[in-house]
């Protein structure tokens, strides 16, 4: 292996330093999956370092590297492969599962109990001029630092360099990506990443320039890597979709919220205008109805009075005619008509009834049923990913069914914390170096998960804080939900300002 490393990299050992550039959090997170692949020979007289390259995990116990990095293992039975992670306290031994010199790829498996955070691969198109990052262990940096063999076989952070893709050129032997992210001897097999920290290639070799150094470099393309993994029965973690920045999403969300506030204010003004028009119309209608009612009451009272007088006169005449029974009937009718006249007069609408009648007309015209569009959502919901508001880097987006309770209970078993009107739950798994903050807005029907890919030290601290409290069971009450939110505050303080992934879902009743 050492001989081929010299052929490929010796002529560009003194590479130009990377451009001064802020290191993206996603690149730092992706570096957790990068390893140093060392070849150690036990000759009987002692252990010696034959050479080393880089690699990246595609499963907790599987590593992809270059075929030329481990070629010497086929020649000498005394050579062993060591895998040195970028973090932690120890490394492990591995064996070659498959070596493919035709496209310079090799698959290694840990032979000891160990676990690595798998990298996320991106199989989509890589645009010309795209920002890329090479991550690995260039020997010239180790030499400049004065590292010895003992330092090389201990976990240490990899080197990250930045460059750009130069599309349209590939090696003749196999499909490659031409780029300008600086490499050195030892970078072989390490990942080439996009700005979201997803692997788009495996760095392989450099182009010679005036026989002394290299300004352009080649990485085995994802097309070759995916074919190689499929042939060997490996299903890696795949990330899809364009690479968006959290800053862009925040800006778009702020613009969306501003537009929503503007629309809400306009809708409120329109509603107020309609309400005022409705009240004015109702007042006019009520005035007409009350006037009509008063006139009808007065007419009825007058008619009743006239009929009562007629009945009285008839009763008198019948009495004179000695028709006593008929006279009594006429008299009774007269009295009834007189009373009806009095009732019609006293019960006629007054001018003061106009306002009350106007209110009744407005109430009758307003919707009486149906849920408001902003009504709080409860019960079984199906949450569908909103790609325009999401940044998907390490997860496979699928619909998320949730059963939301008004008390912040999800799926009848997981209580969310309540703080300042916001419901959330922080998940700190034991088996994965990822912290997830899940939140739900019942009024808007928006479910959101934000994932933070942390290093071992930060994860250990997060797990320690998480073990320091017991989340309440569902139904424990609002005070318990607020206490949970308070306990989660310390974990939040550990998290970076921006997540590595944000997935926003719109939820509706099933």
């Amino acid at each position: 292996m050492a001989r081929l490393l010299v052929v490929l990299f010796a002529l560009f050992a003194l590479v130009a330093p990377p451009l001064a550039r802020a290191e993206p959090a996603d690149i730092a997170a992706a570096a957790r999956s990068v390893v140093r692949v060392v070849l150690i020979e036990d000759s009987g007289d002692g252990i010696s370092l034959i050479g080393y390259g880089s690699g990246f995990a595609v499963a907790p116990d599987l590593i992809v590297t270059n075929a030329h990095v481990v070629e010497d293992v086929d020649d000498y039975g005394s050579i062993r492969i060591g895998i040195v992670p970028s973090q932690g306290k120890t490394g492990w031994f591995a064996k070659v599962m498959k070596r493919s010199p035709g496209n310079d790829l090799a698959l290694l498996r840990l032979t000891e109990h160990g676990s690595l955070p798998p990298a996320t691969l991106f199989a989509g198109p890589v645009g010309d001029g795209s920002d890329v990052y090479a991550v690995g262990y260039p020997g010239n940096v180790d030499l400049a630092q004065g590292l010895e063999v003992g330092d090389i076989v201990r976990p240490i952070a990899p080197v990250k360099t930045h460059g750009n893709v130069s599309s349209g050129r590939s090696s003749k032997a196999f499909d490659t990506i031409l780029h300008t992210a600086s490499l050195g001897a030892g970078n072989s097999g390490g990942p080439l990443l996009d700005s979201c920290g997803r692997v788009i290639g495996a760095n392989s070799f450099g182009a010679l320039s005036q026989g002394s150094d290299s300004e352009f470099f080649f990485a085995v393309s994802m097309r070759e890597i995916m074919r190689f993994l499929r042939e060997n029965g490996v299903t890696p973690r795949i990330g899809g979709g364009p690479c968006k920045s959290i800053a862009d999403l925040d800006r778009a969300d702020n613009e969306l919220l501003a537009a929503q506030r503007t629309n809400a204010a306009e809708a409120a003004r329109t509603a107020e205008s309609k309400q005022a028009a409705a009240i004015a119309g109702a007042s006019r209608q009520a005035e007409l109805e009350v006037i009509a009612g008063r006139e009808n009451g007065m007419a009825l009272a007058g008619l009743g009075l006239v009929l009562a007088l007629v009945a009285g006169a008839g009763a008198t005449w019948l009495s004179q005619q000695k028709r006593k029974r008929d006279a009594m009937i006429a008299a009774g009718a007269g009295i009834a008509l007189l009373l009806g006249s009095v009732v019609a007069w006293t019960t006629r609408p007054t001018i003061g009834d106009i306002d009350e009648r106007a209110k009744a007309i407005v109430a009758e015209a307003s919707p009486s049923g149906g849920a408001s569009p902003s009504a709080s959502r409860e019960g079984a919901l199906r949450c569908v990913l909103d790609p325009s508001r999401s940044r998907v880097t390490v997860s496979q987006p699928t619909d998320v069914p949730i059963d939301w309770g008004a008390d912040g209970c999800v799926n009848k078993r997981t209580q969310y914390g309540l703080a300042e009107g916001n419901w959330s739950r922080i998940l700190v798994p034991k088996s994965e170096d990822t912290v997830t903050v899940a939140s739900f807005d019942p009024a808007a029907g928006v479910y959101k998960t934000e994932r933070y890919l942390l290093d071992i030290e930060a994860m250990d601290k997060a797990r320690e804080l998480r073990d320091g409290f017991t989340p309440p069971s569902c139904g424990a009450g609002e005070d318990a939900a607020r206490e949970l939110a308070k306990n989660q505050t310390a974990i939040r303080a550990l998290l970076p300002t921006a997540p590595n992934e944000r997935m926003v879902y719109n939820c509706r009743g099933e």
Side-chain angles (χ1 to χ4, degrees):
M1 168 190 145
R3 292 190 299 276
L4 186 51
L5 285 176
V6 171
V7 172
L8 295 174
F9 287 115
L11 293 179
F12 55 90
L14 299 176
V15 295
L19 297 174
R21 192 178 181 89
E23 177 186 307
D26 296 312
I27 308 305
R32 307 176 312 161
S33 305
V34 180
V35 300
R36 195 196 296 261
V37 181
V38 299
L39 268 61
I40 301 172
E41 181 179 20
D42 186 357
S43 61
D45 298 329
I47 296 177
S48 58
L49 180 67
I50 301 299
Y52 63 85
S54 303
F56 56 93
V58 291
D61 62 342
L62 293 175
I63 298 99
V64 168
T65 188
N66 286 153
H68 74 256
V69 171
V70 293
E71 67 171 354
D72 286 346
V73 175
D74 295 338
D75 300 332
Y76 308 102
S78 59
I79 295 179
R80 302 185 67 187
I81 304 172
I83 302 298
V84 186
S86 59
Q87 55 181 357
K89 297 180 179 180
T90 186
W92 310 279
F93 285 106
K95 64 179 180 179
V96 177
M97 299 299 295
K98 182 67 176 182
R99 185 169 170 271
S100 177
N103 54 7
D104 200 21
L105 291 173
L107 183 65
L108 314 179
R109 184 186 294 276
L110 299 180
T111 57
E112 301 176 285
H113 179 68
S115 181
L116 295 163
T120 299
L121 280 53
F122 177 66
V126 180
D128 191 13
S130 298
D131 287 338
V132 290
Y133 297 81
V135 184
Y137 294 92
N140 53 333
V141 175
D142 293 336
L143 181 64
Q145 287 184 293
L147 299 185
E148 300 178 351
V149 173
D151 301 313
I152 290 174
V153 296
R154 284 196 291 267
I156 187 172
V159 175
K160 313 168 192 74
T161 59
H162 169 260
N164 300 96
V165 170
S166 178
S167 296
R169 300 292 296 272
S170 178
S171 67
K172 295 180 66 175
F174 51 88
D175 193 48
T176 57
I177 297 174
L178 180 64
H179 66 88
T180 61
S182 297
L183 305 178
N187 271 112
S188 289
L192 183 69
L193 308 173
D194 68 6
S195 294
C196 279
R198 301 174 297 190
V199 179
I200 59 173
N203 290 309
S204 181
F205 59 95
L208 302 183
S209 175
Q210 298 179 350
S212 60
D213 60 9
S214 177
E215 297 178 357
F216 294 93
F217 307 89
F218 291 87
V220 183
S221 74
M222 188 52 60
R223 183 181 297 114
E224 298 280 0
I225 294 173
M226 290 300 297
R227 184 186 303 119
F228 174 71
L229 294 176
R230 282 196 299 268
E231 291 172 351
N232 290 280
V234 179
T235 302
R237 176 188 287 170
I238 302 293
C243 183
K244 305 176 184 178
S245 72
I246 291 295
D248 288 342
L249 290 179
D250 287 341
R251 184 162 47 251
D253 263 1
N254 289 336
E255 292 174 356
L256 176 63
L257 291 174
Q260 289 176 342
R261 285 193 292 267
T262 300
N263 292 338
E266 182 63 28
R269 286 193 293 270
T270 301
E272 289 176 1
S273 178
K274 289 182 177 179
Q275 182 75 359
I279 291 174
S283 297
R284 179 56 179 165
Q285 181 181 346
E287 182 179 1
L288 294 175
E289 290 182 0
V290 168
I291 291 174
R294 285 177 59 82
E295 291 177 348
N296 290 338
M298 293 169 66
L300 288 174
L303 179 61
L305 181 60
V306 170
L307 293 176
L309 292 174
V310 171
T316 301
W317 183 78
L318 290 171
S319 178
Q320 292 173 352
Q321 297 297 318
K322 308 298 183 178
R323 295 168 60 181
K324 186 175 181 180
R325 182 173 179 278
D326 293 337
M328 291 180 63
I329 294 174
I335 293 172
L337 288 169
L338 181 60
L339 291 175
S341 177
V342 172
V343 170
W345 179 267
T346 57
T347 59
R348 73 191 190 285
T350 66
I351 298 300
D353 292 335
I354 293 177
D355 289 340
E356 291 300 322
R357 180 57 188 150
K359 292 179 182 179
I361 293 173
V362 172
E364 291 169 2
S366 300
S368 59
S372 168
S374 61
S376 178
R377 289 155 176 85
E378 294 181 34
L381 305 171
R382 178 157 296 278
C383 304
V384 179
L385 183 73
D386 184 345
S388 65
R389 301 179 64 189
S390 300
R391 183 180 197 252
V392 184
T393 57
V394 298
S395 300
Q396 293 297 322
T398 58
D399 292 356
V400 177
I402 66 171
D403 190 334
W404 177 258
D407 60 352
C409 179
V410 175
N411 299 332
K412 297 181 172 61
R413 65 175 181 273
T414 304
Q415 178 64 50
Y416 275 37
L418 177 61
E420 299 179 354
N422 300 313
W423 295 96
S424 66
R425 182 68 178 262
I426 299 181
L427 309 175
V428 188
K430 296 291 186 182
S431 59
E432 183 181 359
D433 292 341
T434 302
V435 171
T436 299
V437 179
S439 60
F440 185 63
D441 182 347
V446 173
Y447 176 71
K448 179 167 63 176
T449 61
E450 294 185 321
R451 303 188 73 186
Y452 299 81
L453 311 181
L454 306 182
D455 58 32
I456 288 180
E457 182 178 352
M459 282 302 307
D460 287 344
K461 182 62 176 177
R463 291 186 180 109
E464 179 184 346
L465 292 171
R466 172 61 184 80
D467 291 340
F469 64 90
T470 301
S473 302
C474 286
E478 183 176 314
D479 289 343
R482 294 187 180 280
E483 183 66 20
L484 173 59
K486 181 180 177 181
N487 289 330
Q488 293 180 148
T489 302
I491 303 177
R492 283 187 181 273
L494 285 176
L495 303 179
T497 55
N500 298 99
E501 177 179 78
R502 175 183 293 165
M503 302 176 73
V504 179
Y505 301 83
N506 296 317
C507 303
R508 298 292 182 270
E510 289 190 310

